[in-house]
Amino acid sequence: MTDEILNRLMRLHPKLIDLELGRIERLLADVGSPHLRLPPVVHVAGTNGKGSLVAYLRAMAEAAGYRVHVYTSPHLVRFNERIRVAGELISDDMLEDVLTEAEQANREQPITFFEITTVSAFLAFARVPADLAVLEVGMGGRNDTTNVVEPALSAITPIGYDHTSFLGDTLEKIAAEKAGILKRTVPAVIGRQREASAGVIAARAAELAVPLFRMGREWQVRPTATGFRYDSDFLGVDLPAPALVGAHQIDNAATAVACIERLRTAQFRIDDAAIRKGLASVEWPARLQKLTRGPLVDALPPASELWLDGGHNEDCGIVLARQAAEWAKEPAALPLYLIFGMLTTKDASGFLRPLGRHARTARAVPIVGHAAYAPQEACARAAEVGLDCVPANDIGAALEDLLVTQPAPMRILICGSLYLAGEVLARNG
């Protein structure tokens, strides 16, 4: 029944991106303004690392015994993944109830799919007690559908080039949109930024008297042999490496620690032990995730590895290239092969350019149900950056072709899109 409602909403309110707040403000008022009845909110914007930051915050707060609502997007396999109510994925029954209420209140007036489902999430959150709500911005910030809340804390992760047709074609323009989540006098934690982005954020913060807590200024992070060191004026602590893979996760984890430090001033009792437990227990699928079981893994030759990542812009390509360089340092390093698919709104060449230097060859696949590059066109983008590429009809065909044509053992990285990652996770069970 829930799938029927979601499909109907998708047809009635297509997933068109139209950044403005009037429609959701109307519908929220019509359903009793649930966004004003949430527990303290951490509102997270940025280009890269938003989801990881949300995952760390949830893990650390829950390790301290707090109940946490979480709203993220997109989902990988099931829509329920977007809405976590007091620590649990929303049930089908509750999801059906809030979707139906939002749909009926909307009375078929113009609204986007993301807007009506965000209202549904707020309805669910307002009805179940929790101690904290962590909300991830869908796109941008200033006019994002989630930007109707009054947060206790704002956070902005690294800003890069993505969604340029909506947010602007310069870092300054994109940063201005992201900084739109800042609220007057509400503290903000800022992750690592390029100079252009940092300047825009600082200027907006000054206008709103926002206390900034910035990486490299008010707090510092330094990798160590066993993890990382976090330092600010009031906290200095050595912490273990996070469970999520990749050097970039040190920054994401440290940004979460900075958020926890700010929440402590708001009377949240999240001690260093809870931070450590959260770092060890955090889960966030399709972010440099090693698949360890399932039919796709079972099909690989012995000693081979299958990895999955949903990153899809140039900065994500740089991050993956850094990890590939680390893999290459291993004593018995496995050759790296790519399977990728990307939406046509993404810069495929920019994503592949840094990563392609580390891969022997690639296979390009379609992404069913989305406006994605056809495999032949994706291979043309790969060729532009010197990466040998062969088109394939789907994930299964791409894997089979690599297994037949390339020597074993091997390391295969499936990447380029969260939608493709969701398809892989569903296929792999």
Side-chain angles (χ1 to χ4, degrees):
M1 181 65 176
T2 302
D3 288 341
E4 293 178 12
I5 297 173
L6 289 167
N7 289 334
R8 183 169 66 249
L9 290 175
M10 187 69 80
R11 291 193 303 270
L12 289 174
H13 313 294
K15 198 168 70 172
L16 298 177
I17 297 172
D18 182 9
L19 299 178
E20 63 122 299
L21 297 178
R23 293 179 300 271
I24 190 170
E25 289 173 339
R26 167 188 55 76
L27 183 52
L28 284 168
D30 289 345
V31 296
S33 300
H35 63 302
L36 302 181
R37 302 196 305 276
L38 303 182
V41 169
V42 180
H43 197 197
V44 180
T47 303
N48 297 307
K50 295 194 303 293
S52 295
L53 176 57
V54 169
Y56 286 119
L57 286 174
R58 177 173 75 87
M60 292 174 184
E62 289 181 347
Y66 290 108
R67 286 155 54 96
V68 186
H69 295 324
V70 175
Y71 185 55
T72 58
S73 62
H75 61 280
L76 294 174
V77 181
R78 298 180 65 225
F79 182 88
N80 305 56
E81 298 166 30
R82 299 184 182 213
I83 304 172
R84 188 173 288 270
V85 182
E88 302 292 335
L89 293 183
I90 190 169
S91 68
D92 286 342
D93 288 344
M94 175 177 274
L95 181 56
E96 181 180 332
D97 288 346
V98 293
L99 287 171
T100 299
E101 181 173 346
E103 182 185 24
Q104 291 176 348
N106 189 60
R107 301 184 301 278
E108 298 192 16
Q109 297 177 80
I111 200 162
T112 69
F113 180 80
F114 188 63
E115 288 165 349
I116 201 166
T117 51
T118 300
V119 170
S120 301
F122 289 156
L123 283 169
F125 293 160
R127 289 173 184 169
V128 178
D131 305 296
L132 185 69
V134 186
L135 310 180
E136 178 190 8
V137 165
M139 181 191 294
R142 182 174 61 91
N143 283 322
D144 183 75
T145 296
T146 62
N147 200 28
V148 292
V149 296
E150 291 297 327
L153 178 68
S154 306
I156 302 178
T157 65
I159 293 171
Y161 290 98
D162 204 2
H163 303 297
T164 53
S165 58
F166 295 98
L167 305 180
D169 56 2
T170 68
L171 281 178
E172 289 86 353
K173 291 177 182 177
I174 297 170
E177 293 297 321
K178 307 286 186 182
I181 71 164
L182 300 179
K183 301 296 189 295
R184 182 165 296 279
T185 72
V186 174
V189 170
I190 311 299
R192 190 182 302 278
Q193 302 294 338
R194 296 176 172 94
E195 185 177 349
S197 305
V200 171
I201 293 170
R204 181 59 177 162
E207 293 174 8
L208 298 173
V210 169
L212 288 182
F213 205 52
R214 295 162 288 187
M215 179 185 289
R217 299 285 293 272
E218 289 74 25
W219 58 275
Q220 313 284 339
V221 57
R222 175 174 55 83
T224 64
T226 57
F228 64 98
R229 172 77 182 178
Y230 175 91
D231 282 294
S232 71
D233 287 345
F234 303 103
L235 178 64
V237 61
D238 289 298
L239 293 167
L244 300 181
V245 175
H248 63 293
Q249 290 296 350
I250 297 293
D251 277 5
N252 292 335
T255 306
V257 176
C259 289
I260 295 298
E261 187 179 355
R262 293 298 88 195
L263 289 174
R264 285 177 177 178
T265 66
Q267 309 307 313
F268 280 87
R269 297 183 178 180
I270 304 173
D271 62 17
D272 294 355
I275 290 175
R276 290 188 173 91
K277 185 176 179 181
L279 289 171
S281 63
V282 65
E283 295 180 350
W284 195 232
R287 278 72 175 182
L288 262 176
Q289 177 186 6
K290 184 180 181 181
L291 303 180
T292 58
R293 59 183 179 273
L296 296 181
V297 177
D298 293 342
L300 298 181
S304 295
E305 296 179 0
L306 184 61
W307 291 75
L308 182 64
D309 191 86
H312 46 255
N313 57 42
E314 183 176 0
D315 285 344
C316 293
I318 292 171
V319 163
L320 291 176
R322 288 175 183 155
Q323 183 59 39
E326 290 301 310
W327 282 332
K329 296 176 185 177
E330 296 172 353
L334 297 173
L336 178 64
Y337 301 92
L338 304 183
I339 297 174
F340 76 98
M342 299 190 72
L343 301 185
T344 55
T345 54
K346 307 302 179 184
D347 177 8
S349 298
F351 171 78
L352 291 169
R353 184 172 289 108
L355 182 57
R357 291 193 289 269
H358 301 275
R360 296 277 183 92
T361 185
R363 300 295 180 268
V365 296
I367 305 176
V368 178
H370 299 278
Y373 289 103
Q376 293 83 356
E377 190 176 1
C379 281
R381 297 293 183 273
E384 291 174 2
V385 299
L387 176 61
D388 175 65
C389 182
V390 176
N393 291 331
D394 59 21
I395 291 291
L399 277 173
E400 183 178 356
D401 187 52
L402 285 175
L403 298 182
V404 169
T405 61
Q406 305 301 322
M410 60 182 65
R411 179 179 279 121
I412 299 172
L413 172 61
I414 304 175
C415 57
S417 169
L418 283 169
Y419 296 111
L420 178 63
E423 183 181 324
V424 170
L425 291 174
R427 183 166 184 153
N428 196 49

